[in-house]
Amino acid sequence: PKAGTTVHRPLGTTMLSETTTQDQQTLGVALNEGGQFDVTWRTQATPGAVDQALTSTSLAVVDVREDGVHVTWQVDFAFGQTDRSVFRLEVPHDYLVELVEGKNVRGWDMVAHDAQQFLDVELLTAAKQSEQVTVHLSHRMLFPPGAPTDVVVPFVAVPDAAQHRGTVQIRRSTILELQTSAAQGATRTDSADVVAQLAAGEGGFGSPLGVRDYQAYKFAATPFQISLVAAQIQPQVSAEVRTLFRLGETAAALESEIQIDAQRRAVYQVRIDIPQDLQLEQVAAAGLSDWSIATAGTERTLTAFFAAGQTDRLSLSLRGTLPDHAPEASVPLPRIAVRDVDRQHGTLVVQVDTS
């Protein structure tokens, strides 16, 4: 075979795949019990060769998440009455192909050619008329606070297709905001059907922090260019602390009601400075998943965690006791302060037990 030919041959109960590195390369094949051998091969596809019978339609979701760009790209191939057992896709060279899905997909290989990166998808059985393949890609990125970051929307091309059109839905993390700086070769469209069809096909997808629809575009050919600017959303958080301090002759206790107002971005944790000697008996809030206490020097901080981000108003209540004191001793007032907020106010009521 010629160099670049992919050869498949059985090895026991498994199928061995190998790509030749030179022309006329010699390969060993084991005979079966009948003295026969089974070999299949696929010659290297030539970039730029166009199959006039092949057309493709894509549905894609591009998520700009807090850890980078994640892509789900589904391609529907149509190729008339011819049989096809392999498809070649061109994927962005700086993206990682995480998974290739399809009911008839046997496997896939990455092939580098100059500055391009190709994905060869091999089918279990030769398909006729149509086939569908879904590719999952990712590109890790950081979005530092206060530093807008440029993002180019990636695309998956079908280099040998006579026609390639489709729709791309762009979504953003709930902690990021996007702006479109340029769009060439693509036009705005409705986005509802894209996400619904892809989610139904692959069983749903998303980000731990949640995603929101941003914009959707139609394209009639590749390449196209959609340029974005991503930046972290700066939250606007305020707090009101209402504390009741019960002071007895030798005992002391407190109850605090903390109202958090979170705007523009969901809150996943609340950090509160509490007295060093406070023994917490209860921490309660709607949607609270867990809480912990950390001590650093003279500071003691309670952190309340929320698995689902909290927006608008959040109510958190604390209850605990302070160490006993002598009947006529001086007792300092407890200090409850919420961290990471833009502004804070509140009241402290002291209730003295004279009995």
Side-chain angles (χ1 to χ4, degrees):
K2 293 183 178 181
T5 300
T6 301
V7 181
H8 304 285
R9 58 188 189 275
L11 180 63
T13 58
T14 62
M15 184 66 70
L16 177 66
S17 297
E18 181 180 359
T19 301
T20 57
T21 58
Q22 60 186 15
D23 292 343
Q24 306 301 320
Q25 181 174 334
T26 301
L27 301 173
V29 181
L31 300 179
N32 60 22
E33 294 180 356
Q36 299 176 329
F37 63 89
D38 180 16
V39 175
T40 60
W41 67 89
R42 181 180 78 244
T43 58
Q44 184 178 26
T46 303
V50 176
D51 183 351
Q52 296 298 328
L54 176 63
T55 62
S56 55
T57 303
S58 290
L59 290 176
V61 171
V62 177
D63 285 350
V64 183
R65 303 184 192 170
E66 56 281 350
D67 63 343
V69 181
H70 298 255
V71 182
T72 299
W73 195 287
Q74 177 182 287
V75 185
D76 284 286
F77 301 95
F79 40 91
Q81 296 300 318
T82 59
D83 292 346
R84 293 187 68 111
S85 59
V86 63
F87 293 98
R88 167 161 284 199
L89 303 172
E90 182 181 353
V91 298
H93 67 88
D94 53 349
Y95 274 71
L96 172 67
V97 177
E98 297 180 340
L99 179 65
V100 179
E101 292 182 304
K103 295 180 179 178
N104 194 26
V105 171
R106 176 197 293 273
W108 49 278
D109 296 314
M110 300 302 303
V111 180
H113 187 274
D114 295 331
Q116 298 170 294
Q117 182 175 225
F118 294 95
L119 172 66
D120 288 345
V121 182
E122 184 181 2
L123 304 182
L124 287 167
T125 59
K128 182 173 291 187
Q129 296 185 337
S130 65
E131 189 59 65
Q132 184 181 91
V133 173
T134 301
V135 183
H136 300 266
L137 309 100
S138 66
H139 175 63
R140 302 299 174 181
M141 297 181 66
L142 296 176
F143 302 96
T149 304
D150 294 328
V151 178
V152 177
V153 174
F155 61 85
V156 174
V158 185
D160 56 341
Q163 182 184 51
H164 185 193
R165 62 179 184 271
T167 304
V168 178
Q169 165 68 53
I170 303 170
R171 306 191 302 179
R172 64 172 180 85
S173 167
T174 56
I175 70 169
L176 297 176
E177 57 185 357
L178 297 179
Q179 290 184 342
T180 303
S181 57
Q184 298 177 352
T187 57
R188 291 283 303 275
T189 187
D190 183 26
S191 62
D193 291 343
V194 179
V195 175
Q197 291 182 53
L198 277 181
E202 65 160 338
F205 49 87
S207 162
L209 300 184
V211 291
R212 293 180 180 174
D213 289 345
Y214 174 61
Q215 291 177 349
Y217 289 84
K218 279 187 175 181
F219 64 90
T222 56
F224 60 83
Q225 181 176 354
I226 303 173
S227 300
L228 309 172
V229 178
Q232 276 201 33
I233 297 174
Q234 297 304 310
Q236 295 177 348
V237 184
S238 61
E240 179 183 1
V241 181
R242 297 194 295 264
T243 300
L244 173 62
F245 181 42
R246 292 192 174 93
L247 184 60
E249 184 177 6
T250 59
L254 69 78
E255 295 180 12
S256 285
E257 186 75 19
I258 302 170
Q259 298 288 335
I260 304 292
D261 187 9
Q263 301 296 326
R264 300 196 69 224
R265 175 173 160 179
V267 171
Y268 291 86
Q269 66 177 28
V270 176
R271 298 196 302 160
I272 307 166
D273 288 339
I274 60 176
Q276 282 276 9
D277 49 3
L278 175 65
Q279 297 296 317
L280 280 174
E281 296 176 346
Q282 181 181 10
V283 179
L288 180 68
S289 58
D290 200 1
W291 61 273
S292 65
I293 295 177
T295 302
T298 60
E299 296 183 341
R300 189 163 176 250
T301 304
L302 163 69
T303 303
F305 300 96
F306 299 87
Q310 304 294 307
T311 55
D312 298 328
R313 295 195 66 83
L314 162 67
S315 180
L316 181 71
S317 62
L318 312 178
R319 190 177 72 226
T321 60
L322 294 159
D324 292 344
H325 55 271
E328 297 182 0
S330 175
V331 179
L333 294 176
R335 177 180 176 271
I336 303 292
V338 182
R339 291 192 177 191
D340 311 315
V341 296
D342 301 306
R343 59 188 182 276
Q344 180 175 180
H345 68 281
T347 58
L348 173 61
V349 176
V350 179
Q351 184 181 75
V352 179
D353 184 3
T354 59
S355 59

